[in-house]
Amino acid sequence: MEELRQKYIAAIAAAADEGALESLRVQAVGKKGEVSLKMRELGKMSPEERQVAGPALNALKEEINSALAAKKAALADVALEERLRAEWLDVTLPARTRRVGSIHPVSQVTEEVTAIFADMGFGVAEGPQVEDDWHNFDALNIPGHHPARAEMDTFYMARAEGDNRPPHVLRTHTSPVQIRSMMKHGAPLRIICPGRVYRCDYDQTHTPMFHQVEGLAIGRDISMANLKWVLEEFFSAFFGTHVETRFRASHFPFTEPSAEVDIRCSWEGGTVKVGEGDDWLEVLGSGMVHPKVLTAGNIDPLAWQGFAFGIGIDRLAMLKYGIPDLRAFFDSDLRWLRHYGFASLDVPSIHAGISA
Ligand code: PHE
């Protein structure tokens, strides 16, 4: 018995890991372990022998079990120590600096425009960028032979031979959202629709994708006078100074009468200043919604009337923030974005209110 004791106590002390400990446990006190087998022999002993050997074997078994438990705890401590040493980190080291993203001028201006019109009671509507030609053209009183279809340099979606779905285009303006909003909500209605539009055009002031914001107000007696007030209110809030507008008679198939609107500006020293000077800059198209367009939108033109306008968002961003080349907007050049972008927590606060 003493031999067994010495053998196992020494082996347990020397065990390198939990696996070794476990096989020692099986060898010594497992069901067929050496100590267990000895215990089975107790039955064959005389009562006197048993009285000595029984307690001694039990004591041995207990000693081995507690040696196993102690060694197991010691191994776990060592493992933990080891891990703590290996995973140590110096929380006093200064953090690595990270580039923070910035808000693109188009997002920024869209946000500002939305906030200003929201203050005037306009909700925001959206429509698909891939539009069917009915919403983009026909419903807006631009029939198939109309030159506006060609003028707009439309991108048509490819169609497989035999596909008889209606032709689809990349919307050439946000005006189709007028139709969708009229059909969805009926009259009265007061919405703006900001979004991407597409035309096949590319130079310093044109990109094949750009942004517009459409405006639409329909009521019983909404007039051009309301349009002029809303636009002047908008431009003054947007540029932070009183901005005069000039209406020039124009033509759009979906408005009658139609007007292009200029804002007062100066060009002194090669840079534009909005709100002062003797020059005029064209910024949008507008007019009273054509009766045929109301009809296409399921609104009775004898009971309702209203105005609509479309403004170029990118153009507004260039004017307000002095950005010279439109193409750079969409080059995704990080140096440009860092220069002209806005920090997410440091944006001009139009939300503070128009009069702020
Ligand atoms: N859709 C016109 C354009 O893209 C702008 C416009 C909108 C004109 C609404 C009148 C009314 O040029």
Side-chain angles (χ1 to χ4, degrees):
M1 230 186 275
E2 182 53 23
E3 220 170 85
L4 270 184
R5 200 184 77 84
Q6 278 181 10
K7 171 173 145 191
Y8 281 110
I9 295 302
I12 288 168
D17 53 43
E18 269 197 51
L21 265 190
E22 176 59 13
S23 58
L24 282 171
R25 190 191 63 76
V26 173
Q27 263 180 59
V29 296
K31 256 189 200 155
K32 290 178 185 162
E34 284 192 274
V35 178
S36 312
L37 290 179
K38 280 257 180 291
M39 282 177 143
R40 250 176 247 175
E41 285 168 18
L42 287 173
K44 295 178 213 146
M45 293 180 189
S46 68
E48 296 76 28
E49 281 175 321
R50 203 182 301 140
Q51 247 175 19
V52 182
L57 272 172
N58 269 328
L60 176 59
K61 187 177 174 187
E62 221 157 86
E63 193 181 347
I64 289 176
N65 272 332
S66 56
L68 283 166
K71 182 68 181 180
K72 192 171 173 184
L75 282 175
D77 280 352
V78 170
L80 182 62
E81 278 300 315
E82 192 59 38
R83 215 181 129 197
L84 287 174
R85 223 189 335 272
E87 292 181 7
W88 183 85
L89 45 94
D90 184 354
V91 293
T92 67
L93 277 178
R96 275 180 213 143
T97 55
R98 279 205 220 173
R99 285 285 191 188
V100 176
S102 59
I103 293 175
H104 194 284
V106 169
S107 304
Q108 171 66 23
V109 166
T110 303
E111 181 66 23
E112 293 173 19
V113 169
T114 306
I116 296 168
F117 280 106
D119 265 357
M120 291 192 276
F122 286 76
V124 174
E126 284 185 310
Q129 293 178 41
V130 175
E131 187 58 282
D132 59 72
D133 65 349
W134 186 82
H135 283 94
N136 195 81
F137 294 123
D138 301 79
L140 290 163
N141 194 31
I142 312 173
H145 54 79
H146 198 282
R149 291 213 186 192
E151 269 166 32
M152 282 189 175
D153 301 308
T154 312
F155 287 112
Y156 280 85
M157 304 302 290
R159 257 200 318 176
E161 187 99 32
D163 184 343
N164 51 18
R165 285 176 301 177
H168 278 67
V169 301
L170 291 178
R171 68 179 178 194
T172 56
H173 49 182
T174 41
S175 300
V177 190
Q178 285 189 34
I179 303 297
R180 291 182 176 275
S181 303
M182 288 189 236
M183 296 179 102
K184 189 165 171 203
H185 302 291
L189 192 59
R190 222 184 318 175
I191 47 128
I192 57 162
C193 352
R196 292 189 166 159
V197 300
Y198 302 83
R199 289 178 206 176
C200 188
D201 216 345
Y202 191 70
D203 60 38
Q204 199 187 337
T205 52
H206 296 91
T207 48
M209 186 280 300
F210 59 105
H211 300 79
Q212 287 187 334
V213 58
E214 193 83 4
L216 176 68
I218 294 176
R220 294 288 182 194
D221 54 9
I222 288 181
S223 70
M224 291 289 272
N226 300 129
L227 170 65
K228 187 166 168 90
W229 183 87
V230 163
L231 290 177
E232 288 202 354
E233 196 70 13
F234 163 70
F235 285 117
S236 299
F238 182 76
F239 288 107
T241 176
H242 178 70
V243 179
E244 244 178 288
T245 59
R246 181 175 77 172
F247 279 52
R248 272 182 298 107
S250 183
H251 176 263
F252 298 102
F254 32 93
T255 44
E256 183 58 39
S258 302
E260 277 173 316
V261 177
D262 307 334
I263 54 177
R264 185 181 286 283
C265 70
S266 78
W267 277 105
E268 255 158 58
T271 52
V272 258
K273 279 217 186 78
V274 173
E276 57 186 66
D278 294 320
D279 280 312
W280 295 93
L281 192 72
E282 186 196 322
V283 282
L284 64 92
S286 65
M288 295 300 291
V289 180
H290 196 289
K292 285 191 182 170
V293 173
L294 291 170
T295 305
N298 287 335
I299 289 179
D300 179 2
L302 295 176
W304 301 96
Q305 61 183 35
F307 64 72
F309 58 82
I311 314 179
I313 292 181
D314 321 83
R315 166 71 74 89
L316 287 183
M318 293 170 79
L319 279 175
K320 181 163 175 178
Y321 296 113
I323 310 174
D325 190 333
L326 177 66
R327 290 169 296 195
F329 273 60
F330 311 117
D331 282 346
S332 300
D333 183 329
L334 281 178
R335 291 164 303 178
W336 185 91
L337 280 169
R338 276 179 203 129
H339 183 79
Y340 288 110
F342 295 83
S344 57
L345 296 174
D346 181 26
V347 290
S349 77
I350 294 286
H351 288 290
I354 291 181
S355 54

